[in-house]
Amino acid sequence: MCGIVASLAQEPVVDVLLQGLQRLEYRGYDSAGVALIEPMGDGFTLAIEKHVGKVVNLANACHAQHFVSNLGIAHTRWATHGPPSDINAHPHTSSGLAIVHNGILENYKALKERLIEEGFVFKSDTDSEVLAHLIRHIQSIEPELKLEEAVTLALSQVRGAYGIAVIDQAHPNTLIGARRGSPLILGVGNDNFVLASDATAVVGEANKVIYLQDEDIVVCSRNNGKFEFKIKSMRSELEKVTLRADSEESLEHVVDESSKLNVDIRRSMKNNTKAQIVYRVMHDLTLSLDKIEKGGYEHFMLKEIMEQPTVLRDCLRGRISDEGHVKLAGITLMEEEFKNARRIIICGCGTSWHSALVGEYLIESLAKIPVEVEYASEFRYRNPVLFKDDIIIVISQSGETADTLEAVRIAQLNGCKSFGLVNVVGSSIARATDSGVYLHIGPEIGVASTKAFTGQVACLAMLAIDLAQRNGNMTTGQAREMAHALLETPALIEKMLSEENCEKIKRIAATYRYAHNFLYLGRGFNFPVALEGALKLKEISYIHAEGYPAAEMKHGPIALIDRMMPVIIIAPKNDATYTKVASAIEEVLAREGCVIAVTTDGNDDLDEKCEFVIKVPDITEELNPLITIIPLQLLSYYIAKFRGCEIDQPRNLAKSVTVE
């Protein structure tokens, strides 16, 4: 959520900033803005443009200004403090200094009150503006400080998460970035630097990237045409700050006690040592433009649905041998821990939580290891009882989900090993976990996750097979059979995505586009699919939808059934509970409900009973979710399209939830 792009270059940067913001639109936002250090006479001035709405509004305003600056910062905002407005949009300024900020400053109210006492005037409702004024205040009481030192000192006073970029008209050749808990990368080109929230904004502008770590501060500079950068770790400094801005402790030995804020700052200065230069690994940027473009499709979501056969082949490639032996390098690195695991706890949010539920069924069914699935947002606050021989698996497409990242920290505090399933290489979760597996499905741009779900389920299936082989709960023959079935899924999904099937689902969507509610039912491996199907419909069509285990319908939801309630029931014939699910269909029909059934090819039992029947290829029961989810993704897409919804950027949603 929110997107940062900042650049220092030899050439004008405004187009780089705007292009970067457009590529970050998928993250979700409500306003956008830029700040540029523009030449004026013999000096420089800070130019600001920011507007509510789409980046194109900002681009039109910027192009009318004919900016020529070589240094600028830009931002897309997803509102947390204060409603969407031009004033609340980033960047925020203070006397020629500008910042953009992702994250939440938890103690901003206390800092704001003290800065107001110091004479600072606030224009916005945001927490982020506090940081701009705080940096300026520190410079006013310690004018000899370098800009990077003032930024470091300001960050020592805040609690919470941040990814920031800072420019100052007094330093027209300096760009500063820092992060804690919110992602920030540095793109390095031949004669330019780009700071960004993720690599999509850097493609084409830099060929190398550095993934900044928590408490890193990077200083990019241009001196006599030479571009240089240095990265320092603020960790030791921030750890030494024992007095926070909301503390009531005082300092008798500080001469100037006219301001409590000044006392805190001077205490921080006294305790801090110089930040140490650190060396971070520089990676080749392998992401290509075609991966982050629509490729002829009307929407990213449709592209990502249609490319699932290809990306699943990429996901499986090299992990299943010709003989059907599954081997994941990430498990090999933790072989003893998995072998001796008391239980596995899987944490995720949204779609990742649904794939985690499928993982629970897979691991318990195949490897016979006890599994619990937790919402990461609840796990972090409920003081879970953990044992040192537990393994915490965390799932996140972006690898930056704040609540899921916190689950890793809880695992570490309790002496548990953590294992990550992420898609974005070099992400925070990928670096924080003890081991893990990359999905290798390519960037997912659409806010409503599609290929990430199937990629996660495929990886969890491989993990379950691998564990079952290692602990002896599957014979070689059984493992080979399951692995070969997994290898066949891309071709089966390809069949589901045929033009004929898409047209049929489009007709169903046209029939139900005006519905106000949907009910999704499934059992066993298909219960999480029901949840995921309902989530997709909610996310992009704004239709209320709920997923339930089919047997739970009688315990409440059946009261909602009438002829105006479409009920989607996932009932593959190979499901062990098929006869029970068929009974649920009869119960809906008896109450004049409209049933859309998803069942397997060759099963004609439901053709005369249901309003619509969607047939999917037959596959082993454990892998049904990889197939049954496909028509539900398409149905959500087509309904949203018929309703004229913003499919790739649905209202109020963000692709990467990097704040609580």
Side-chain angles (χ1 to χ4, degrees), residues 506-544:
K506 195 180 294 185
R507 290 194 297 272
I508 299 172
T511 301
Y512 293 107
R513 59 181 158 171
Y514 297 119
H516 295 290
N517 300 283
F518 268 78
L519 190 62
Y520 287 70
L521 302 176
R523 293 195 72 167
F525 287 94
N526 289 301
F527 162 51
V529 177
L531 294 174
E532 176 63 9
L535 177 62
K536 290 286 91 62
L537 191 67
K538 280 184 280 196
E539 286 178 318
I540 63 169
S541 73
Y542 316 141
I543 295 174
H544 174 251

Side-chain angles (χ1 to χ4, degrees), residues 182-321:
S182 190
L184 196 66
I185 69 169
L186 172 65
V188 181
N190 295 326
D191 55 1
N192 67 309
F193 297 114
V194 182
L195 285 171
S197 299
D198 69 45
T200 56
V202 177
V203 175
E205 301 301 327
N207 46 29
K208 302 280 187 181
V209 292
I210 295 173
Y211 299 96
L212 299 180
Q213 298 184 16
D214 275 354
E215 276 83 47
D216 277 357
I217 181 168
V218 58
V219 182
C220 304
S221 58
R222 180 181 58 182
N223 298 306
N224 299 319
K226 185 179 181 181
F227 287 80
E228 300 174 318
F229 74 91
K230 59 183 176 182
I231 300 173
K232 294 184 177 182
S233 174
M234 303 179 290
R235 187 177 300 274
S236 60
E237 300 185 50
L238 299 184
E239 286 173 350
K240 289 186 178 183
V241 178
T242 57
L243 181 62
R244 293 295 186 179
D246 56 353
S247 169
E248 296 303 319
E249 183 182 349
S250 63
L251 290 173
E252 294 180 0
H253 63 275
V254 176
V255 176
D256 179 11
E257 291 191 355
S258 59
S259 162
K260 181 66 174 63
L261 179 59
N262 291 352
V263 172
D264 293 346
I265 292 168
R266 293 179 192 275
R267 162 64 75 87
S268 299
M269 292 178 64
K270 180 177 183 296
N271 284 343
N272 286 348
T273 58
K274 292 291 182 182
Q276 299 298 310
I277 290 180
V278 293
Y279 297 92
R280 303 298 184 211
V281 177
M282 190 177 293
H283 302 268
D284 290 327
L285 182 58
T286 57
L287 187 62
S288 59
L289 279 174
D290 65 296
K291 296 290 187 182
I292 57 173
E293 294 177 340
K294 293 178 184 175
Y297 289 96
E298 187 175 353
H299 297 97
F300 279 110
M301 183 179 180
L302 183 59
K303 176 195 175 188
E304 288 157 5
I305 291 172
M306 293 299 182
E307 69 185 10
Q308 284 176 107
T310 300
V311 300
L312 280 182
R313 290 186 181 102
D314 293 339
C315 175
L316 300 172
R317 185 175 293 116
R319 293 167 167 173
I320 302 177
S321 69

Side-chain angles (χ1 to χ4, degrees), residues 304-501:
E304 288 157 5
I305 291 172
M306 293 299 182
E307 69 185 10
Q308 284 176 107
T310 300
V311 300
L312 280 182
R313 290 186 181 102
D314 293 339
C315 175
L316 300 172
R317 185 175 293 116
R319 293 167 167 173
I320 302 177
S321 69
D322 293 339
E323 295 75 29
H325 183 71
V326 177
K327 192 163 187 178
L328 297 176
I331 292 183
T332 301
L333 293 173
M334 287 177 52
E335 186 168 9
E336 284 302 309
E337 288 83 357
F338 274 109
K339 181 180 178 181
N340 298 314
R342 177 185 300 212
R343 62 177 171 171
I344 292 172
I345 299 172
I346 311 179
C347 294
C349 300
T351 289
S352 296
W353 186 75
H354 298 155
S355 65
L357 290 174
V358 179
E360 177 183 26
Y361 285 107
L362 285 165
I363 294 169
E364 290 195 341
S365 173
L366 302 181
K368 310 302 182 188
I369 300 172
V371 179
E372 295 179 16
V373 175
E374 298 264 4
Y375 281 112
S377 56
E378 291 297 310
F379 180 75
R380 66 181 294 184
Y381 285 118
R382 70 173 188 82
N383 297 318
V385 177
L386 300 176
F387 304 95
K388 292 187 184 300
D389 50 359
D390 288 337
I391 291 177
I392 313 299
I393 296 178
V394 291
I395 306 177
S396 167
Q397 187 281 140
S398 68
E400 302 292 349
T401 309
D403 290 321
T404 310
L405 186 57
E406 185 65 14
V408 178
R409 190 187 70 85
I410 291 170
Q412 293 168 342
L413 289 175
N414 286 274
C416 304
K417 290 292 186 180
S418 59
F419 187 91
L421 263 68
V422 301
N423 189 37
V424 179
V425 176
S427 57
S428 297
I429 289 175
R431 296 196 307 270
T433 46
D434 296 296
S435 187
V437 171
Y438 283 120
L439 304 185
H440 294 312
I441 59 167
E444 187 177 67
I445 306 299
V447 168
S449 187
T450 52
K451 65 179 182 176
F453 177 78
T454 51
Q456 289 165 356
V457 170
C459 284
L460 287 163
M462 287 189 287
L463 186 147
I465 297 168
D466 194 350
L467 291 177
Q469 286 176 293
R470 292 173 191 263
N471 66 18
N473 280 297
M474 287 185 84
T475 66
T476 302
Q478 290 171 327
R480 184 187 301 115
E481 184 179 350
M482 185 70 69
H484 283 154
L486 189 55
L487 288 172
E488 291 172 6
T489 55
L492 299 180
I493 293 173
E494 221 157 31
K495 182 179 177 182
M496 272 306 304
L497 294 171
S498 69
E499 185 176 351
E500 180 184 353
N501 280 330

